[in-house]
Amino acid sequence: MKSSKAWSIGTTDIQIMPTPRHRPPSKRPIWIIVLLCLVCLSLIGAYIYPPQSFSACYFLSSNVCSPFKDWLPPEPAREYTDDELAARIVARDIISMPSVQSKNPKIAFMFLTPGSLPFEKLWEKFLLGHEERFSIYVHASKEKPVHESSLFIGRDIRSDKVSWGKISMVDAERRLLANALEDADNQHFVLLSDSCVPLHNFDYVYSYLMETNISFIDCFEDPGPHGSGRYTEHMLPEIERKDWRKGAQWFSVKRQHALLITADSLYYTKFKHYCKPGMEGHRNCYADEHYLPTLFHMVDPGGIANWSVTHVDWSEGKWHPKAYRAQDVTFELMKNISSIDETIHVTSNAKKIVMKKPCLWNGMKRPCYLFARKFYPEARDKLMHLFSNFTAF
Ligand SMILES: *[C@@H]1O[C@H](CO)[C@@H](O)[C@H](O)[C@H]1NC(C)=O
Ligand SMILES: *[C@@H]1O[C@H](CO)[C@@H](O)[C@H](O)[C@H]1NC(C)=O
Ligand SMILES: *[C@@H]1O[C@H](CO)[C@@H](O)[C@H](O)[C@H]1NC(C)=O
Ligand SMILES: *[C@@H]1O[C@H](CO)[C@@H](O)[C@H](O)[C@H]1NC(C)=O
């Protein structure tokens, strides 16, 4: 019983305290008095500073300590603001919505590019013969693209300027999603860049994305300067530091999640104001690397895979990922990338902790990647030549 224990500490304390004072010191060996004093001091200490004995419980076995733990006040539940409560219920209901049973479910391939797409012909090779099962959207932020493939003609959406690392990047992603959501047949939404190429054939990609209920959003906790270091308390109360996540921009989401991103204004606005390059003079934050991982970690952590299906090679440890030239592109390289079945995340702190996880697709270990970046335009002919071979299985 917690209360009797606390009381017995108190009473023992009072009984022992006067004892040494009333006994003539000469009749007892001095060490007993010293010992008693030490006991007294420690009991007084325990009485005056009970919280310390509680925190000590975390280091002790729980059996001894559990009665004390009950004394800790319960963590107060945060009271949501009006906007937050509204955002949370909208998110909850969108997520639990049954997916619309389209007779003709399609994948929306959404290209975020400055201008023309160097790999249009390669994508055409990938897409041809499957016209009923995909749609294409192109957001060209700098110049009007010249299309080489008829599949891409007339697929440009109204676009706006995009600045690297700024919220305009997220705006372009949302613009692509909103355009693609207009077609009720689109069930999965893949964001791609001009330097992305497919790693598998269409049927493989289609069933990989359609026959699962999760979205592939990269998400991990990085305690280092490029992770939590970019958090600011201006994000409070809605976004706490413990919820801050990081991940690559290149997502692939199911329809409910695409709707959720389009519907969100509360969290988006926080990132728009408080996550940008060169904040407070020196601190950088890039909304495209934090907004979606943090949002989904908060509203639907079990609904995302925590990895992106677009491969990129950061292993050189530079500011930019490895970019492949024509000479790098071989059957072996493409095979290597498409057979990777573990994701790797490395923290940006001094410890550089490497976190490896198997890619589990519906609970089974599977290759992680369907697409890869970054390829130089000069790699096109080699990729075209090898495509049927490395996507044969
Ligand atoms: C996805 O969810 C639907 C409905 O909740 C369910 O019927 C279906 O079996 C699920 N599919 C997979 C691959 O888990
Ligand atoms: C993704 O990570 C979260 C923890 O952040 C976890 O709850 C969730 O189950 C993970 N998703 C999958 C599909 O394993
Ligand atoms: C492919 O992977 C093997 C084994 O990991 C490695 O030895 C080889 O260098 C890789 N080749 C290319 C072209 O990346
Ligand atoms: C493609 O694969 C076939 C059979 O494995 C092989 O004979 C052919 O040389 C390969 N082509 C290229 C371009 O690698």
Side-chain angles (χ1 to χ4, degrees), residues 322 324 328-337 339:
K322 180 169 173 57
Y324 302 100
D328 301 321
V329 175
T330 59
F331 177 76
E332 198 193 1
L333 173 78
M334 302 313 284
K335 236 26 276 166
N336 272 9
I337 297 175
S339 52

Side-chain angles (χ1 to χ4, degrees), residues 331 385-386 389:
F331 177 76
H385 179 64
L386 288 171
N389 260 33

Side-chain angles (χ1 to χ4, degrees), residues 214-215 217 219-221 245 293 296-298 300-307 357-358 360 362:
I214 57 167
S215 290
I217 294 177
C219 177
F220 76 109
E221 190 172 5
R245 290 295 181 282
F296 281 92
H297 172 72
M298 289 173 66
D300 194 15
I304 59 170
N306 300 317
W307 85 82
K357 277 201 186 141
L360 297 178
N362 288 345

